[in-house]
Every structure is written in structure tokens, then in C-alpha cells.
Amino acid sequence: MDAQTWPVGFRCLLLLALVGSARSEGVQTCEEVRKLFQWRLVGAVKGLPDSPRAGPDLQVCISKKPTCCTRKMEERYQIAARQDMQQVLQTSSSTLKFLISRNAAVFQETLETLIRQAENYTSILFCNTYRNMALEAAASIQEFFTDVGLYLFGADVNHEEFVNRFFDSLFPLVYNHLINPGGTDSSLEYSECIRMARRDVSPFGNIPKRIMGQMGRSLLPSRTFLQALNLGIEVINTTDYVHFSKECSRALLRMQYCPHCQGLTLSKPCMGYCLNVVRGCLAHMAELNPHWHAYIRSLEELSDAMHGTYDIEHVLLNFHLLVNDAVIQAHLNGQKLSEQVNKICGRPVRISTQSPRCSFDQSKEKHGMKITARNGEETLADRRKEFINSLRLYRSFYGGLADQLCVNELAAAEGVPCWNGEDTVKSYTQRVVGNGIKAQSGNPEVRVRGTDPVINQIIDKLKHVIQLLQGRSPKPDKWELHQLGSGGGLAEQVSGDCDDEDGCGGSGSGEVKRTLRITDWMPDDMNFSDVKQIHQTDSGRTLDTTGAGCAAATESMTFTMMGVVMSLPWLW
């Protein structure tokens, strides 16, 4: 080879080597990009590049290398990047959302069942023990428990008012059938006068007041608990569809789809790069974390406190026992009450009608008297405890959400070549910022500005429900041992299980009245015997309250009330 032809040949070889090198480093065809674009975005392949070319009109996926993207592709990719992020957000929160929504539904259904059960217990009480007034009392019983349900599920109903209405309507029945019975019923006008006189003559003693206290202490926490669960679902729904800023959308595009423009369809972002982008995009959401943590802690505290007279299951399933106490107390004071009523309303005005008798015994199910079997271990308190134990695992959900998305979904595994926003590299070398708005001032990938009004609104709602939850929890001094009575009797009072208003104060002999908790449901096939009689031992007089045909209990309890030893039916 002569001196003139050698430099020409060398230059040709050098040029071929450079071209070969360039082709080995870059993509030679856009076929794979075209296929993925069409599959992922259901976009037409017409107009898409067949091979890499210059992309001077690109706004985000800018590169010195030839590109497989056009401006229109870039715009579609940006929409896809936002949708992808919303999808991974929804996936990451789906278990938490299901946990709360499922338990909210279960709690509501359980409360509805408890209300029906308590209504049945009360109806059974009247059917067996006070048969003459059972059907007349049915409407008042139904109205009372309807109001309980309305209150629990958020209606603007006053619990003191519906307790008063129930006892107002009960007094004329007790007066006409037990205190001043006759062959005929009182006129409607006279019964109305008796009803209006109830609060003046106090035939039921302090029992209505005790029931008001128990209802207030148990219904309001349960109502607040349900409202708080619904807010939790609202928080998750809001964050699942969070609005991404323009800067965030561009950063997501650069992280997820700009590699496609260079033919790197399988490339994933480096971990540090992913953290910077996602922490920047979710910076406002991370501000939820301390409030979400406090929200779960407050739910836990309220749940722990909801037992004894704060436990709705305890209160509702023992309501009929207090009603029985109230009727007995009115009957024992019958002579005094009769004199008081005569002064207020005059002598009874009778009309010739026959009071209908209880007829539930033919078909309990038809009249709503069927009682469902239930596992005694699966109490409402047990379900709440199980739920709170599961929910506690998500206390820092929003604080670690960005990290969770990158580790589980978005970022490349450690040691694998990854995308850093410009090229495929061994590792990301930029500074990695923390979570939250304040930490984003040094974020090299996303510029975070201002606040998010939607997130701020959710934070305000969380603050409000936290205050409600904390306001429904008993104070620490409710968790102490109290001396009951003057006779030295001592009983534990845990979380307001019993106080003076609940009738737990001891007598001079140190006797303590206790209300036992019903935990088991009555099976459908249980056989019931007649209700025991009530004996007034100081005079030897017997009040026969025997009833037949309705569901009743074979058990009874004995206690001292107003100096009289009573043997009362216990409805299990």
C-alpha cells in the first residue's frame, strides 16, 4: 500500500469502527418501542418512527442521542405516567382500604343485629312477664330501638328524648294494668294525662336517668367510632386520586417513559432516583403521616375504653333488665303513685274495651321473636380488638408510602444497571432527600411548591375526628377502684363499668347490685319454661307474673330492692 492510499484506508476503517460502536451503544430500530406504545396506550402506530431520529421538539425526554419518540408520543407518555402512579397508589392502599371498609360494614351490621336482639329481649320480657300490656307496648319498643339505630348511624336524634318518650308511653300501660287495673281501659284522654304526669311523679325512680347515662356513654362512642372509620375510607379515596403537579408529571414521565425513547424498554429507575421523584410527588401526602398516626392511636384508645357501661353490647343486651326493674319499682309504689295520679288527672275514666293479649307464642319468627345463635367468643369488643391490631400496622403508612412504592413496584433491584433520568448507569449519584415538604428544598428531580388544598382539607378533617375520638374516651380517673357503700363493700370499677347513676352504689350492709353481661345468643331450638314468680317476702304477698308460650329463661336472680327481696327472671 503506497503512502497516499494508507491514510484513506485508515480513515475508512476508523469510520466503520465508530459507526459500529455507535450502533452497539444505541438502538437500531424502534419496533419494540412501537409495539409497547401501541399495547400500553392503545395508540395508532401510524406516524411513529421506524428507526431512531433526532427529536428537537421534545420537551422532557431530551437527549443528544437519536430518539424513538415524537412530541405526541411524549404527551401520551406523560398521561400514562400519571395513571401508572395512581394505579400503584391504589394497589398499595387496597389492603388498608379493604381492612377499614370491611370492618366498618361488619360493625354496622353487628350493631343492627344487636339492636334487633335487644328489641327481641324487651318484647320477650313483656310477652312473658307482662302479657296484658305486651301488644300495647310493642309500638313503643319498636320506636325506641328505631331511634337507637338512627342515632348510632348518624341521624340528628337526641338519646335523652327517646329514652323519655319510651318511659312516658310505658307509664300509662303500667298504671292501667298493674297499679290500677280494671275490667276496662282508661280513656285516651286519661292515658294521655298519665303519660304527661310521668316526669312529675317519677314512677320508675332513677332508672330512666340511669338508662340515659348508659345510652349516652355507649351509643356516642360507637357512633363516633363508625364516623371515624368512614373518614378513614374518605382519606384513602382522596389520596388514591391525588392531583399531581406539572413538575411532578414531568418528573414521572422522565423516570418511567423517557428510557423508552432510547429503546430501553426494560430499564427501571435507580433506587435513589426513584425516591427523589416519588418523595417529591408525594411530599404533600407525607404531611398526613402524623395526623394519620394520631387517628389510629385515638381509635385504639377509644376502642380500649368501650367496655362496661361504655360497651354498647353490654348496654343494649341488658336494657330489658332495667325496664323490668322500672316496672317492678312502679308496681311496688303503686298506692302512692295512684294517689299522685288521682290528684293530677282525677279518677280514672274507663271505656269498655278489652286489652289485646300477647299472642307471640304461635309464631315467634313472624313477630320478630326469633333469636339467632351466636358464638359467644365473637363479641363486638373482640372484633374491634382484632381490627385495631391489624390497623396498627398502618400507623406510618403515609410516611413510608414513597419508599414502599419504589422498593416494591418502581425501582430497579440493587446491583442492576438502572435509569438515572438521562442514561443507564451503575448507580445514582445525586443526593437523596427525605419525606415531607420541608425536605424537598434540595430535591434535584422535582420542584415542590406551596401546599395542596385537598390534602390540607383532609388533615383538618382528621384533626376534627381525632378530637371527637379523644373526647369520647373516659378520663384516667374512671379506671380506679372505688369504695361502694358505707358497709365496706369493695368492687372494681373498670372504665366506668358501674357508677352511682347505674345503680351500683352499695347499701348499708355493703350489698352491691351488679348487672351481668350477656355474651351468648339464644339458639332457635331452646326450650323455655314459665317465668318464675316474684315474691314480696315482708308481707307474704305474691305477684304472679307467670307467662307461657314465649321465649323466656329458666334462670332467675335474687337481689334486694328498696328493702324487698326479689326473684326476677333472667332472660338469656
Side-chain angles (χ1 to χ4, degrees):
M1 184 179 294
D2 56 30
Q4 291 181 344
T5 58
W6 183 86
V8 175
F10 176 80
R11 285 196 294 269
C12 289
L13 289 173
L14 181 60
L15 179 60
L16 289 173
L18 290 173
V19 171
S21 176
R23 287 183 176 179
S24 66
E25 293 180 0
V27 63
Q28 299 182 25
T29 176
C30 295
E31 183 63 24
E32 189 68 21
V33 177
R34 286 159 55 89
K35 288 181 180 179
L36 285 175
F37 182 85
Q38 185 180 26
W39 173 79
R40 171 65 182 84
L41 303 174
V42 198
V45 294
K46 185 178 179 180
L48 302 185
D50 294 317
S51 59
R53 63 186 184 185
D57 57 343
L58 298 181
Q59 300 293 310
V60 179
C61 300
I62 302 171
S63 174
K64 296 179 180 178
K65 299 178 181 179
T67 178
C68 288
C69 289
T70 65
R71 177 69 182 276
K72 288 186 177 181
M73 289 176 65
E74 191 180 53
E75 291 172 356
R76 296 290 299 278
Y77 275 142
Q78 186 162 326
I79 296 172
R82 289 198 300 266
Q83 292 174 343
D84 289 349
M85 179 55 68
Q86 284 191 338
Q87 183 61 49
V88 295
L89 281 173
Q90 292 166 23
T91 300
S92 66
S93 66
S94 60
T95 304
L96 173 59
K97 184 177 178 179
F98 178 74
L99 173 68
I100 298 177
S101 58
R102 180 195 62 184
N103 279 278
V106 167
F107 291 145
Q108 179 163 333
E109 181 181 355
T110 303
L111 289 173
E112 290 170 351
T113 301
L114 284 175
I115 292 170
R116 289 194 300 269
Q117 192 72 45
E119 182 177 349
N120 285 349
Y121 282 164
T122 310
S123 298
I124 290 169
L125 168 69
F126 279 89
C127 183
N128 281 276
T129 311
Y130 311 108
R131 295 176 66 85
N132 288 342
M133 67 177 82
L135 289 183
E136 293 178 82
S140 298
I141 295 170
Q142 184 180 33
E143 179 185 2
F144 176 81
F145 285 103
T146 297
D147 287 335
V148 168
L150 290 172
Y151 181 83
L152 269 177
F153 303 131
D156 187 15
V157 181
N158 186 293
H159 72 278
E160 293 186 358
E161 290 180 2
F162 63 71
V163 170
N164 271 325
R165 279 199 303 272
F166 174 77
F167 283 102
D168 287 346
S169 64
L170 181 62
F171 184 38
L173 303 182
V174 174
Y175 186 82
N176 290 330
H177 293 283
L178 291 180
I179 296 174
N180 192 11
T184 56
D185 289 343
S186 298
S187 66
L188 292 177
E189 293 80 5
Y190 193 79
S191 293
E192 177 65 16
C193 182
I194 298 174
R195 189 187 72 81
M196 297 292 290
R198 198 272 303 177
R199 302 186 198 188
D200 294 325
V201 300
S202 298
F204 307 119
N206 71 334
I207 291 176
K209 183 180 178 182
R210 283 163 52 192
I211 290 177
M212 286 180 197
Q214 289 186 4
M215 290 290 169
R217 287 191 295 272
S218 64
L219 298 186
L220 188 54
S222 295
R223 168 178 163 138
T224 305
F225 193 85
L226 276 179
Q227 290 174 337
L229 295 190
N230 289 328
L231 177 62
I233 298 170
E234 181 184 347
V235 170
I236 298 169
N237 284 337
T238 301
T239 55
D240 276 352
Y241 296 95
V242 66
H243 172 73
F244 296 115
S245 67
K246 182 179 179 180
E247 290 82 0
C248 169
S249 297
R250 291 166 66 92
L252 290 174
L253 166 61
R254 184 180 297 108
M255 180 179 79
Q256 293 178 262
Y257 286 105
C258 284
H260 289 213
C261 296
Q262 297 186 28
L264 305 172
T265 54
L266 300 179
S267 178
K268 281 193 167 187
C270 303
M271 179 61 70
Y273 175 50
C274 179
L275 290 174
N276 276 341
V277 172
V278 181
R279 285 176 177 176
C281 287
L282 304 185
H284 296 103
M285 198 182 299
E287 298 298 313
L288 280 168
N289 195 58
H291 308 287
W292 182 256
H293 191 284
Y295 161 77
I296 293 179
R297 186 179 65 249
S298 299
L299 275 174
E300 181 178 1
E301 291 173 353
L302 180 59
S303 179
D304 289 343
M306 289 165 64
H307 60 87
T309 56
Y310 292 90
D311 178 12
I312 190 171
E313 187 172 22
H314 171 97
V315 171
L316 289 180
L317 297 185
N318 285 280
F319 171 77
H320 66 288
L321 299 177
L322 287 177
V323 172
N324 199 28
D325 289 351
V327 174
I328 293 170
Q329 181 163 330
H331 184 264
L332 292 176
N333 290 311
Q335 183 175 353
K336 179 181 177 182
L337 290 172
S338 183
E339 293 173 355
Q340 290 176 311
V341 169
N342 287 342
K343 288 181 181 179
I344 297 173
C345 301
R347 293 289 176 179
V349 179
R350 299 290 185 178
I351 57 176
S352 180
T353 58
Q354 184 66 36
S355 298
R357 298 178 65 84
C358 175
S359 59
F360 290 149
D361 49 320
Q362 297 300 319
S363 176
K364 293 187 294 180
E365 185 172 356
K366 178 180 177 182
H367 292 277
M369 301 298 288
K370 183 176 180 180
I371 298 180
T372 308
R374 179 174 177 237
N375 186 345
E377 295 181 358
E378 293 180 353
T379 64
L380 187 59
D382 292 333
R383 291 174 179 174
R384 281 198 309 268
K385 183 176 180 180
E386 181 181 355
F387 165 64
I388 291 297
N389 286 339
S390 299
L391 188 62
R392 194 184 294 119
L393 301 175
Y394 295 90
R395 285 178 296 186
S396 299
F397 175 74
Y398 286 105
L401 183 56
D403 301 51
Q404 177 186 342
L405 296 183
C406 287
V407 171
N408 297 338
E409 301 283 345
L410 302 175
E414 185 178 358
V416 177
C418 53
W419 174 257
N420 69 351
E422 296 180 355
D423 206 345
T424 301
V425 295
K426 291 183 178 179
S427 63
Y428 183 70
T429 58
Q430 297 280 2
R431 173 198 172 195
V432 179
V433 301
N435 286 292
I437 294 176
K438 292 183 179 178
Q440 304 311 307
S441 59
N443 193 324
E445 308 299 340
V446 185
R447 184 165 54 180
V448 179
R449 299 176 178 178
T451 59
D452 188 325
V454 175
I455 297 298
N456 288 344
Q457 186 179 28
I458 288 294
I459 288 175
D460 289 340
K461 288 184 178 182
L462 280 173
K463 288 180 179 178
H464 177 67
V465 81
I466 288 167
Q467 290 178 341
L468 289 178
L469 289 168
Q470 293 175 347
R472 304 301 172 232
S473 298
K475 304 302 179 185
D477 59 2
K478 293 272 188 177
W479 300 72
E480 299 174 354
L481 291 172
H482 291 276
Q483 185 81 14
L484 299 181
S486 58
L490 187 67
E492 287 190 24
Q493 180 181 348
V494 182
S495 183
D497 278 351
C498 222
D499 55 27
D500 292 339
E501 203 172 87
D502 297 316
C504 296
S507 65
S509 62
E511 292 177 314
V512 177
K513 176 183 174 186
R514 288 189 177 276
T515 301
L516 299 181
R517 180 175 179 181
I518 297 175
T519 56
D520 295 328
W521 303 88
M522 290 186 285
D524 299 338
D525 57 351
M526 180 178 286
N527 295 319
F528 301 93
S529 65
D530 294 345
V531 180
K532 296 285 191 297
Q533 294 179 332
I534 302 174
H535 300 281
Q536 185 172 338
T537 56
D538 58 345
S539 64
R541 184 164 56 93
T542 299
L543 172 64
D544 187 356
T545 58
T546 301
C550 290
T554 60
E555 299 291 339
S556 64
M557 66 175 181
T558 301
F559 66 97
T560 300
M561 179 176 179
M562 300 175 62
V564 180
V565 178
M566 299 280 179
S567 178
L568 295 182
W570 191 270
L571 302 184
W572 293 96

